[in-house]
């Protein structure tokens, strides 16, 4: 099309052309000043001949064209003045310019005189325009033809036979005006497209760039068309849009199709687009595969959604024309037709469709979910997205509902929302999770049901646990801390006034965060603990047994959950934090229960002592026991509470394995001393024989002091005997032998443990003692004691029959 030439050559050619225009324009002006029409036409034709060059690029040609255009406007004014004075008939002038030697100057002059001809109204405007648009077919060189037709469009735009115009003719004149503009547009588009196919293949990109510089010459026709008053919705729908769409589709040029579709969207009114959606959208699937349809279609949806936002009164029309269904169907057809469309293109279309839906139909969650489902369908069969652009669009897709509804609960109702998130890579999953949490924080969203919490934690799982293929070593420490702090803040926002539902929420959170691994637990566990303690404070005075799955929220149940949670934290290990959380638990429970139920205080102490033991902190554990004893001495006066507290202390101390000999001896001595000082003898007896377990444990490196075990049991026998004597004095009978039977069972327990001090002789003597006491009891026998003693003897016989080492141990004992 254009000859090769360097920048210097082109500048020289342009300078020569401008010099030719200026020189001939000078002579033309001299002729005009002397009213010499013949010479004026001669020099103007020579000036216009400079536009016949093929050596300039479009940009340089435009400079040359504008120089000639300025001169032609002066020539038009001269023609108009001549015809006004009557010096020359406009009809004769119209015929005269057609005798110019070269076709290009002739047509420029013809268009100029044609403008004067229409202005004079000596002929219908539609006839002159029709003649001009047909005559311009004489120039088929793309560059020269485009600028010639652009000149025709420019001089005629204010002379179209439009409604209300001074050039309006009969009733059909509006159709003639539209036909003139459409025909000029079609011919210009053909010339514009033809440029791409002229010249060597190696210059294809260069020609594409040059064509892009010329696109506005073609697009101006559509702008002119949109300004015609007579082009109402009916004409646009029946004539204008179908003609333009047909030309766009048939030209089969990607640059032209993209630009012209964009022009249609930009220049015509929004209400026209809304009422002609089906026709307009039907063109998109027919466009070339290389056309950037997503951008154009997105612009159309954005424009219509803005139209709906600024004009709420038109929203019913969107429903009436089924805009969402038509857009959704068109996008599906486009994606189906363009099999090579990259994922980012398809996702971008769905982002625009979702944006449109949220603006126009914010109340239709089914539409929103349908868009997400269509995206899932497009992504099905693919692994995690690796294209960063596509990933960015997915994030935009998922963020749109959060921004619109300002409530993650609404997004949780969308079944396809988590399915879309599944296609994000691990890093982007974390980014999206942070977006969700930030949305919750920003809008102070309260998520109040366990099923919603379950769905939410499934969405943010990238922050809660290690994902498949994730490399923790690659994480930035500061970023990781910020992520986990966000999760911790989220846990604090979970709330429900119903205690049972709040307990379910805590259980759900616990289930998820315990999967977080050693790096996450120190950040997330404290939040769960403090949220649980808030519930404990709300449950003041409640308690109950914990059985089954559906249990009411009680402090006991919550502290079981807390104990499990903090135990997981200890396994990391993280002793200091674990201990702090145990202390916090103790503080809350003491706040609730110390004034009304003292044994609960010992539950806390046991809790704390066990924590100190697990953390291998002997001084702290010893201090806890000290506080327990102080509390026992100073605060607990009720005998039943004392019994419960002592047995709790005994059980806790028996499990401890961190004390040295001196500390343990001190604690066991204090415990046995308190046991022997209980108010009632039976309670003393039971507490003392329970203390025997403090001196014999089965744990590795545990204490095994048979002498002190036997000492405790003998002391218990003495107390039991004293109880018998007191019963004889007060009731006139020896009383029940139940304490002796209980002590017998303790002897049997330690006998089987292999304590050498507990022999079969000792056991036999105790059996005989029980029998003697029973015989001496003149009162009615105690059925429970009888059954208990019989059961114990049967157990001894059963052990004999086992044989082996156990049978040999029991062989010398006579139970019958």
């Amino acid at each position: 099309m254009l000859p090769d030439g360097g920048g210097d050559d082109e500048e020289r050619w342009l300078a020569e052309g401008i010099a030719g225009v200026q020189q001939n324009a000078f002579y033309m002006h001299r002729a005009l000043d002397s009213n010499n029409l013949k010479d004026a036409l001669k020099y103007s034709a020579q000036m216009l001949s400079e536009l016949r060059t093929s050596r300039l690029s479009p940009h340089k040609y435009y400079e040359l064209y504008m120089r000639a255009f300025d001169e032609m406007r002066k020539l038009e004014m001269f023609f108009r003045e001549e015809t006004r004075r009557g010096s020359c008939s406009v009809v004769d002038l119209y015929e005269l310019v057609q005798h110019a030697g070269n076709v290009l100057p002739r047509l420029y002059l013809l268009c100029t005189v044609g403008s004067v001809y229409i202005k004079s109204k000596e002929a219908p405007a539609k006839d002159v325009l029709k003649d001009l648009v047909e005559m311009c077919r004489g120039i088929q060189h793309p560059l020269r033809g485009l600028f010639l037709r652009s000149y025709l469009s420019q001089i005629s735009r204010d002379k179209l036979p439009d409604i209300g115009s001074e050039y309006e003719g009969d009733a059909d004149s509006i159709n003639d005006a539209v036909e003139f503009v459409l025909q000029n547009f079609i011919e210009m588009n053909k010339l514009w497209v033809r440029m791409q196919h002229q010249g060597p293949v190696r210059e294809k990109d260069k020609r594409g760039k040059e064509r892009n510089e010329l696109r506005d010459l073609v697009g101006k026709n559509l702008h002119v068309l949109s300004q015609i008053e007579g082009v109402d919705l009916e004409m646009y729908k029946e004539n204008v849009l179908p003609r333009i769409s047909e030309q766009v589709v048939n030209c089969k040029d990607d640059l032209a199709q993209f630009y012209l579709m964009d022009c249609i969207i930009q220049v015509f009114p929004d209400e026209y687009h809304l009422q002609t959606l089906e026709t307009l959208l039907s063109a998109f699937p027919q466009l070339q595969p290389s056309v950037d349809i997503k951008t154009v279609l997105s612009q159309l949806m954005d424009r219509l959604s803005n139209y709906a936002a600024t004009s709420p009164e038109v929203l019913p029309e969107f429903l009436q024309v089924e805009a969402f269904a038509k857009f959704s169907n068109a996008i599906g057809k486009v994606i189906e037709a363009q099999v090579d469309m990259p994922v980012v293109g398809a996702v971008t279309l769905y982002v625009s469709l979702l944006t449109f839906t949220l603006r126009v139909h914010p109340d239709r969650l089914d539409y929103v979910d349908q868009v997400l489902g269509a995206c899932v369908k497009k992504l099905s069969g693919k692994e995690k997205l690796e294209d960063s652009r596509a990933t960015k669009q997915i994030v935009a897709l998922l963020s749109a509902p959060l921004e619109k509804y300002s409530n993650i609960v609404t997004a949780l109702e969308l079944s396809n929302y988590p399915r879309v998130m599944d296609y994000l890579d691990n890093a982007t999953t974390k980014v999206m999770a942070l977006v969700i949490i930030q949305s919750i924080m920003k809008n102070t969203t309260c998520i109040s049901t366990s099923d919603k919490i379950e769905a939410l934690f499934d969405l943010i799982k990238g922050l809660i646990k290690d994902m498949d293929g994730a490399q923790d070593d690659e994480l930035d420490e500061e970023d990781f801390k910020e992520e986990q702090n966000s999760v911790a803040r989220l846990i604090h926002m979970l709330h429900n006034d119903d205690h049972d539902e709040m307990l379910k929420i805590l259980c759900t959170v616990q289930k998820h965060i315990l999967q977080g691994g050693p790096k996450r637990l120190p950040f997330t566990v404290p939040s769960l603990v403090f949220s649980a303690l808030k519930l404990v404070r709300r449950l003041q005075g409640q308690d109950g047994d914990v059985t089954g799955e559906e249990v009411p929220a009680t402090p006991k149940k919550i502290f079981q959950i807390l104990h499990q949670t903090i135990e997981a934290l200890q396994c990391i290990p993280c002793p200091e934090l674990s201990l702090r959380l145990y202390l916090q638990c103790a503080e809350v429970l003491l706040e609730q229960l110390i004034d009304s139920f003292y044994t609960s205080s010992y539950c806390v102490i046991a809790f704390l002592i066990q924590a100190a033991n697990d953390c291998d902190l002997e001084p702290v554990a010893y201090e806890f026991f000290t506080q327990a004893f102080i509390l026992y001495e100073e605060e607990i006066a009720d005998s039943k509470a004392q019994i419960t507290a002592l047995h709790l202390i005994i059980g806790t101390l028996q499990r401890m394995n961190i004390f040295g000999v001196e500390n343990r001896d001190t604690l066991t001595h204090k415990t046995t001393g308190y046991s022997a000082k209980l108010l009632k003898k039976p309670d003393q007896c039971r507490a003392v024989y329970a203390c025997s377990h403090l001196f014999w444990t089965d744990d590795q490196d545990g204490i095994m002091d048979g002498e002190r075990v036997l000492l405790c049991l003998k002391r218990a026998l003495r107390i039991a005997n004293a109880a018998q004597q007191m019963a004889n004095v007060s009731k006139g009978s020896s009383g029940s032998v139940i304490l002796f039977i209980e002590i017998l069972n303790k002897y049997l327990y330690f006998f089987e443990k292999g304590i050498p001090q507990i022999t079969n002789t000792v056991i036999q003597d105790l059996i005989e003692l029980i029998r003697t006491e029973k015989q001496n009891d003149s009162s009615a026998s105690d059925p429970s004691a009888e059954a208990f003693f019989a059961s114990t003897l049967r157990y001894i016989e059963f052990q004999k029959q086992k044989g082996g080492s156990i049978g040999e141990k029991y062989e010398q004992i006579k139970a019958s």
Side-chain angles (χ1 to χ4, degrees):
M1 183 184 72
L2 297 174
D4 293 334
D8 293 340
D9 290 337
E10 190 173 29
E11 290 293 340
R12 178 169 53 83
W13 295 331
L14 174 61
E16 291 174 355
I18 292 176
V21 169
Q22 291 175 338
Q23 182 179 3
N24 287 289
F26 172 77
Y27 291 119
M28 181 187 73
H29 285 300
R30 287 179 59 181
L32 294 177
D33 292 340
S34 60
N35 291 324
N36 189 337
L37 180 60
K38 183 176 180 181
D39 285 347
L41 291 176
K42 170 185 173 184
Y43 290 117
S44 61
Q46 291 177 0
M47 176 188 69
L48 292 167
S49 294
E50 297 295 336
L51 296 177
R52 296 170 59 202
T53 180
S54 299
R55 298 184 296 182
L56 299 178
S57 65
H59 180 70
K60 299 299 183 183
Y61 190 90
Y62 175 75
E63 292 186 35
L64 183 61
Y65 166 80
M66 289 306 299
R67 295 296 184 99
F69 178 81
D70 292 340
E71 301 300 332
M72 293 302 293
R73 300 301 290 177
K74 298 174 184 177
L75 183 62
E76 180 183 358
M77 294 174 62
F78 171 76
F79 288 156
R80 189 178 306 158
E81 186 64 24
E82 285 295 300
T83 56
R84 186 184 65 81
R85 291 201 309 256
S87 302
C88 179
S89 167
V90 68
V91 177
D92 294 339
L93 187 59
Y94 193 70
E95 292 291 337
L96 180 62
V97 295
Q98 296 186 42
H99 291 87
N102 294 308
V103 64
L104 185 63
R106 182 195 312 156
L107 292 175
Y108 271 104
L109 290 171
L110 189 64
C111 291
T112 305
V113 176
S115 174
V116 178
Y117 199 179
I118 296 172
K119 192 78 173 175
S120 70
K121 300 180 182 178
E122 294 185 20
K126 63 177 184 178
D127 293 339
V128 179
L129 292 174
K130 183 178 180 180
D131 187 41
L132 292 176
V133 77
E134 289 293 337
M135 293 288 284
C136 285
R137 290 178 182 270
I139 301 298
Q140 290 299 310
H141 184 279
L143 187 61
R144 295 196 290 265
L146 278 173
F147 277 94
L148 172 63
R149 287 187 174 275
S150 177
Y151 180 73
L152 172 62
S153 176
Q154 197 157 356
I155 65 166
S156 62
R157 63 186 306 169
D158 59 342
K159 302 176 182 65
L160 297 175
D162 191 8
I163 293 177
S165 167
E166 59 179 303
Y167 308 106
E168 181 182 6
D170 54 31
D172 292 332
S173 62
I174 182 61
N175 292 324
D176 295 318
V178 171
E179 182 62 29
F180 165 76
V181 179
L182 280 175
Q183 190 170 349
N184 198 48
F185 159 72
I186 292 172
E187 293 298 327
M188 288 185 74
N189 188 52
K190 290 178 180 179
L191 293 170
W192 187 43
V193 171
R194 193 184 305 158
M195 288 181 66
Q196 186 66 21
H197 306 289
Q198 295 183 353
V201 176
R202 68 177 181 274
E203 295 182 355
K204 182 178 180 181
D205 293 340
K206 178 183 176 183
R207 290 195 299 273
K209 183 178 179 181
E210 292 174 344
R211 288 185 61 214
N212 200 46
E213 295 174 353
L214 296 170
R215 61 183 184 175
D216 286 345
L217 298 180
V218 183
K220 283 179 181 178
N221 289 280
L222 299 182
H223 179 69
V224 171
L225 200 57
S226 69
Q227 299 300 310
I228 298 177
E229 292 292 336
V231 179
D232 56 11
L233 176 59
E234 187 64 25
M235 176 173 285
Y236 177 78
K237 183 177 182 179
E238 299 297 331
N239 185 21
V240 175
L241 181 59
R243 291 276 299 278
I244 298 175
S245 298
E246 180 184 14
Q247 176 60 28
V248 172
V249 172
N250 291 339
C251 74
K252 299 187 182 303
D253 180 82
D254 53 356
L255 177 59
Q257 289 180 338
F258 173 80
Y259 173 70
L260 294 177
M261 291 301 292
D262 183 57
C263 278
I264 294 172
I265 294 169
Q266 299 301 330
V267 302
F268 290 103
D270 296 327
E271 57 268 28
Y272 286 16
H273 295 322
L274 183 59
Q275 297 299 328
T276 59
L277 261 184
E278 189 168 358
T279 303
L280 183 57
L281 293 176
S282 64
F284 283 94
Q286 304 178 61
L287 302 182
Q288 296 297 105
S290 55
V291 176
D292 185 13
I293 295 179
K294 68 177 186 302
T295 300
V296 183
L297 199 50
S298 297
Q299 288 176 351
L300 175 60
M301 288 186 281
D302 289 344
R303 176 155 183 168
L304 287 180
S305 60
N306 289 332
Y307 176 50
T310 55
S311 306
E313 67 276 5
V314 303
L315 287 176
E317 296 182 24
F318 281 84
L319 293 171
Q320 183 180 3
V321 302
E322 299 180 336
F324 171 80
K326 289 177 179 177
F327 273 122
S328 181
N329 185 51
I331 289 174
K333 288 183 177 179
V334 167
I335 294 175
E336 183 179 349
Q338 297 196 2
V339 293
D340 295 328
M341 176 182 285
V343 173
V344 61
V347 176
T348 301
L349 286 174
Y350 288 124
V351 171
S352 297
L353 178 58
L354 183 60
T355 303
F356 171 83
T357 305
L358 292 173
R359 288 183 178 179
V360 180
H361 306 292
D363 56 329
R364 295 297 300 268
L365 284 181
D366 55 329
Y367 284 177
V368 176
D369 204 34
Q370 185 176 332
V371 176
L372 297 175
C375 186
V376 171
K377 182 178 179 181
K378 173 62 181 177
L379 297 174
S380 61
K382 294 179 170 43
E383 299 294 332
K384 302 285 186 181
L385 292 177
E386 296 180 356
D387 186 347
S388 59
R389 297 176 302 163
T391 298
K392 185 177 180 180
Q393 290 300 316
I394 289 289
V395 171
L397 185 74
L398 295 170
S399 301
L402 301 180
E403 296 171 359
K404 177 62 181 179
Y405 298 118
S406 301
N407 190 341
I408 185 61
V409 176
T410 304
L412 294 176
E413 296 176 8
L414 303 171
S415 61
N416 289 302
Y417 197 92
R419 297 175 63 195
V420 175
M421 277 195 70
D422 289 340
Y423 289 97
L424 295 175
D425 57 52
N426 293 331
T428 313
T429 299
K430 289 184 178 182
V431 172
M432 194 61 230
L434 284 174
V435 170
I436 293 173
I437 293 177
Q438 289 165 2
S439 173
I440 295 173
M441 300 297 172
K442 177 181 178 182
N443 300 294
T444 321
T445 305
C446 180
I447 307 173
S448 55
T449 61
S450 57
D451 57 336
K452 296 297 183 186
I453 303 298
E454 184 74 38
L456 172 63
F457 275 63
D458 185 58
L459 291 180
I460 64 171
K461 58 189 175 184
L463 299 179
I464 296 176
K465 62 181 181 180
D466 292 332
M467 305 296 290
D468 295 338
Q471 298 293 326
D472 285 344
D473 295 339
E474 298 177 1
L475 295 176
D476 180 79
E477 193 66 27
E478 291 300 321
D479 291 344
F480 180 78
K481 288 181 179 179
E482 181 58 34
E483 292 171 1
Q484 297 311 303
N485 287 332
S486 297
V487 176
R489 288 192 290 269
L490 171 64
I491 295 173
H492 282 299
M493 296 194 66
L494 308 179
H495 177 76
N496 194 306
D497 291 332
D498 181 80
H499 299 161
D500 294 338
E501 186 61 32
M502 188 61 199
L503 179 60
K504 292 180 182 179
I505 290 175
L506 294 175
C507 292
T508 301
V509 174
Q510 181 200 38
K511 179 184 72 173
H512 284 278
I513 68 171
L514 290 185
Q515 303 175 30
K519 292 188 66 176
R520 293 180 176 83
L521 289 180
F523 293 93
T524 53
V525 165
S527 295
L528 175 59
V529 169
F530 281 94
S531 294
L533 292 179
K534 288 181 184 178
L535 181 58
V536 172
R537 288 188 172 98
R538 288 160 51 191
L539 291 170
Q540 182 174 4
Q542 296 189 27
D543 203 353
D545 295 330
V546 181
T547 57
E549 295 182 0
E550 295 295 329
V551 293
T554 63
K556 185 176 181 180
K557 174 64 176 177
I558 297 170
F559 273 94
Q560 284 183 345
I561 295 172
L562 288 171
H563 187 52
Q564 296 168 1
T565 305
I566 302 176
E567 274 188 332
L569 190 60
Q570 293 172 216
C571 298
I572 297 178
C574 194
E576 293 82 4
L577 179 58
S578 301
L579 188 57
R580 287 176 181 273
L581 294 177
Y582 277 126
L583 286 168
Q584 190 64 40
C585 295
E587 180 182 346
V588 173
L589 192 53
L590 286 171
E591 287 174 3
Q592 303 297 311
L593 305 175
I594 191 169
D595 292 333
S596 60
F597 186 40
Y598 291 109
T599 56
S600 294
S601 302
Y602 278 87
C603 293
V604 177
I605 296 298
F607 203 40
L608 297 174
I609 292 170
Q610 186 63 45
N613 179 73
D614 293 341
C615 296
D616 196 25
L617 298 174
E618 181 180 355
V620 176
Y622 188 87
E623 178 63 21
F624 285 166
F625 270 100
T626 303
Q627 294 301 319
F629 289 137
I630 293 173
L631 182 63
Y632 178 87
E633 292 176 348
E634 298 179 357
E635 300 289 343
I636 300 179
D638 181 78
S639 60
K640 290 184 178 180
Q642 288 179 336
I643 294 167
T644 304
L646 268 177
H647 282 281
L648 183 57
I649 291 175
I650 292 168
T652 304
L653 182 57
Q654 190 268 339
R655 293 193 301 272
M656 303 299 286
N657 56 15
I658 63 170
F659 291 121
V661 175
E662 182 179 353
N663 284 341
R664 187 173 185 86
D665 284 345
T666 302
L667 295 174
T668 54
H669 177 73
K670 293 286 288 184
T671 303
T672 53
Y674 286 131
S675 300
K677 293 178 182 179
L678 290 172
L679 179 63
K680 297 179 180 179
K681 290 294 182 181
D683 295 334
Q684 290 180 16
C685 177
R686 292 186 174 98
V688 168
Y689 73 60
C691 288
S692 63
H693 289 281
L694 299 177
F695 306 105
W696 193 277
T697 58
D698 295 329
D699 297 337
Q700 185 179 6
D701 299 327
I703 184 172
M704 292 184 179
D705 190 344
E707 289 288 345
R708 299 183 72 176
V709 170
L710 183 59
L711 183 63
C712 281
L713 294 179
K714 286 182 177 181
R715 189 174 185 181
L717 275 173
R718 290 196 298 272
I719 296 172
N721 187 53
Q724 283 285 79
Q725 294 176 3
M726 290 177 65
N728 187 33
V729 171
S730 62
K731 299 180 180 178
S733 65
S734 60
S736 175
V737 296
I738 191 70
L739 291 175
F740 293 101
I741 301 172
E742 291 174 5
I743 295 171
L744 172 60
N745 278 270
K746 286 296 176 183
Y747 270 91
L748 292 175
Y749 171 82
F750 290 111
F751 179 67
E752 289 187 4
K753 292 295 182 181
I755 297 179
Q757 289 79 7
I758 308 295
T759 63
N760 50 19
T761 302
V762 174
I763 293 174
Q764 187 67 57
D765 291 341
L766 183 54
I767 293 173
E768 294 302 325
L769 174 64
I770 294 171
R771 285 174 175 163
T772 301
E773 290 292 333
K774 287 175 60 182
Q775 291 173 358
N776 294 336
D777 188 6
S778 58
S779 62
S781 61
D782 183 357
S784 62
E786 289 289 341
F788 191 10
F789 185 57
S791 176
T792 303
L793 296 179
R794 284 196 302 273
Y795 175 78
I796 295 172
E797 292 296 330
F798 175 77
Q799 294 296 82
K800 286 182 181 181
Q801 295 172 7
K802 275 187 175 181
S805 59
I806 292 293
E808 291 178 3
K809 289 174 69 73
Y810 280 87
E811 187 63 34
Q812 302 300 320
I813 301 175
K814 295 179 180 180
S816 56

